[in-house]
Amino acid sequence: MATISSITRQRLFALLRLALIGGDYSRTLFDRMSNNKWQDVYNAALEQGVLAFAYDGIRKLDEEYQPELDIKVQWAYNVSHIENIYAKQLSSAKKLTTFFAKRGINTMILKGLSIASMYPEPTHRQSGDIDIYLMGDYDKGNEAVRKAGIDLRLDFFVHSEFTVDGINVENHLYFVNPNVNRTGEYVQQALLSLVDNYDNHPTVAGALIPSAEFATLFFARHASWHYARECIKLRDICDWGIMLNYYRDRIDINTILSHLENCGLTRFASILTTIAEQILGITLPLHFSERYEALASRVLEDILSFEDEQKHSQMNFIRAFVLKTRNRISRKWCYDEVVPDSYWGNIWYSIKGYITSPLKVFKAKL
């Protein structure tokens, strides 16, 4: 997408703060906005995965500052679509939890549906897959899925995949890839040491959600891996801020800071925190000795301007290869300055993957 203008950013951030944290807002930001200006905010929110949150913010504006009816109807229609997807995912998660419980297997829900429960309006957090961990019963769970006549896919060793009611499910054997480098290996072992400390999922009866320390370390590693390779979105920044705010009185600060330091994720976590505090207008409970203000500004600019050319159309093998190569080269600075992963180490890891599964290099994103 085109770079989001400064005023559009300010308006979007203000709406996110209103929706997710509350408080007051600057009336001058929204005074006499044209439909075109509202469309700019809509497009930015849609691209960044925060469309429903922005709509929640609009509904908290004074009536005179809200967009005209046609814009609100367009927005509300797409928000209802997000709500429907969430309802379907929640139903599938409940069905899964019951399915495994009948076979003596406990289900922990990770990532999307776990983080959604921390938001003021969980139905408005956009997510895709359902990620689960079966508390050590990975093989037993896979066998139960097979016996139920459900197609089980083992394309990637970190997790198996199958579909329930049209929703893709990832059953994790590993929480993160432990084979790519020292960071992955450390985080996997640290998460294993933290996984037995958990809470009950607030909306999926019988399901579990990770502890504050597990969720924070898991998110930081997962986000750092995706950021360097393909960027992340404002939704991920909101997730980080909302999660830390939710766990404010329960997180063991020293434990999580120690883990972040040991695996090299301190800088990235500090940058995430700085950006989240800027957008949400709150102080989060994780405090870092180094704030990396200039680097945080560059990362935020990267998030708001990143364009993944592969997502827009089908393409032939050569075009896919060229785009993947160009994208990887353009993101070298992320490895050099932001995340703990080695740029050349990741290149080599990808090459090994392409040698064993050559068609992956040509697989365009949906």
Side-chain angles (χ1 to χ4, degrees):
M1 66 178 295
T3 300
I4 304 170
S5 70
S6 175
I7 188 64
T8 299
R9 297 178 190 191
Q10 293 177 52
R11 288 164 175 158
L12 179 56
F13 296 169
L15 292 175
L16 293 176
R17 282 193 293 272
L18 273 176
L20 304 179
I21 303 300
D24 204 359
Y25 65 95
S26 169
R27 272 70 179 168
T28 57
L29 275 177
F30 301 98
D31 190 27
R32 292 188 292 274
M33 278 181 64
S34 66
N35 277 0
N36 286 339
K37 297 302 182 184
W38 273 114
Q39 192 65 47
D40 289 342
V41 178
Y42 175 91
N43 292 339
L46 179 65
E47 177 69 21
Q48 293 296 325
V50 293
L51 187 71
F53 298 148
Y55 183 70
D56 291 336
I58 285 174
R59 292 191 295 176
K60 291 188 175 183
L61 296 174
D62 297 317
E63 185 67 32
E64 62 188 288
Y65 299 113
Q66 294 187 14
E68 295 181 6
L69 183 60
D70 56 340
I71 295 289
K72 291 173 71 174
V73 168
Q74 174 193 17
W75 220 308
Y77 175 81
N78 285 285
V79 169
S80 69
H81 178 64
I82 293 169
E83 293 170 341
N84 290 337
I85 293 175
Y86 175 87
K88 192 172 184 180
Q89 290 175 329
L90 190 63
S91 174
S92 296
K94 291 177 179 178
K95 182 181 294 187
L96 268 176
T97 301
T98 301
F99 171 84
F100 286 123
K102 288 180 178 178
R103 292 155 178 81
I105 302 172
N106 291 319
T107 302
M108 176 178 281
I109 297 178
L110 307 170
K111 295 164 62 175
L113 277 182
S114 176
I115 294 175
S117 67
M118 304 173 191
Y119 276 93
E121 181 48 74
T123 66
H124 287 179
R125 197 273 181 187
Q126 294 177 235
S127 58
D129 302 329
I130 297 176
D131 291 82
I132 60 174
Y133 176 68
L134 299 181
M135 307 305 289
D137 283 329
Y138 174 78
D139 291 329
K140 184 178 178 181
N142 283 343
E143 185 60 25
V145 169
R146 285 194 188 97
K147 286 183 177 179
I150 301 172
D151 180 46
L152 185 73
R153 302 180 297 279
L154 299 170
D155 298 328
F156 189 44
F157 77 96
V158 169
H159 53 69
S160 62
E161 293 187 25
F162 56 95
T163 302
V164 175
D165 296 337
I167 302 295
N168 193 61
V169 180
E170 295 184 354
N171 173 27
H172 284 255
L173 173 61
Y174 298 99
F175 302 112
V176 300
N177 188 338
N179 296 334
V180 65
N181 57 22
R182 189 191 71 83
T183 296
E185 181 181 8
Y186 178 92
V187 171
Q188 172 62 25
Q189 292 303 313
L191 292 176
L192 279 175
S193 73
L194 295 168
V195 74
D196 288 329
N197 182 17
Y198 50 77
D199 297 312
N200 294 320
H201 197 288
T203 52
V204 181
L208 311 172
I209 59 172
S211 66
E213 295 73 34
F214 180 106
T216 304
L217 181 60
F218 182 40
F219 186 97
R221 176 51 183 164
H222 190 263
S224 72
W225 178 258
H226 283 283
Y227 173 69
R229 295 169 70 90
E230 57 201 18
C231 205
I232 55 177
K233 295 184 181 294
L234 281 185
R235 183 195 64 185
D236 301 290
I237 300 297
C238 291
D239 281 352
W240 179 255
I242 290 298
M243 180 175 63
L244 289 179
N245 195 45
Y246 177 84
Y247 284 130
R248 179 177 298 276
D249 299 324
R250 286 177 283 169
I251 190 170
D252 185 330
I253 301 297
N254 291 331
T255 293
I256 189 58
L257 289 177
S258 175
H259 282 309
L260 291 171
E261 180 66 27
N262 289 339
C263 68
L265 281 168
T266 299
R267 176 180 295 194
F268 182 71
S270 176
I271 289 169
L272 284 185
T273 303
T274 297
I275 297 173
E277 289 181 337
Q278 174 188 341
I279 292 173
L280 299 178
I282 57 175
T283 299
L284 295 170
L286 277 185
H287 302 290
F288 298 90
S289 58
E290 181 69 50
R291 296 281 292 182
Y292 305 101
E293 299 284 355
L295 198 50
S297 295
R298 184 177 182 184
V299 169
L300 178 57
E301 181 66 33
D302 183 35
I303 292 170
L304 294 173
S305 60
F306 180 76
E307 176 69 16
D308 185 356
E309 297 178 66
Q310 293 187 71
K311 71 181 180 180
H312 294 301
S313 62
Q314 296 294 324
M315 59 190 71
N316 61 38
F317 288 176
I318 300 301
R319 177 65 172 159
F321 179 80
V322 169
L323 288 178
K324 279 181 176 286
T325 302
R326 188 168 69 186
N327 176 67
R328 189 61 64 90
I329 293 172
S330 70
R331 302 202 65 73
K332 183 177 183 298
W333 73 272
C334 305
Y335 291 93
D336 294 340
E337 301 184 42
V338 182
V339 304
D341 302 272
S342 161
Y343 175 74
W344 294 110
N346 273 264
I347 292 290
W348 173 238
Y349 185 82
S350 296
I351 290 173
K352 288 192 294 183
Y354 296 149
I355 291 173
T356 56
S357 300
L359 290 181
K360 286 183 179 180
V361 71
F362 303 123
K363 184 179 179 181
K365 288 186 177 181
L366 295 178

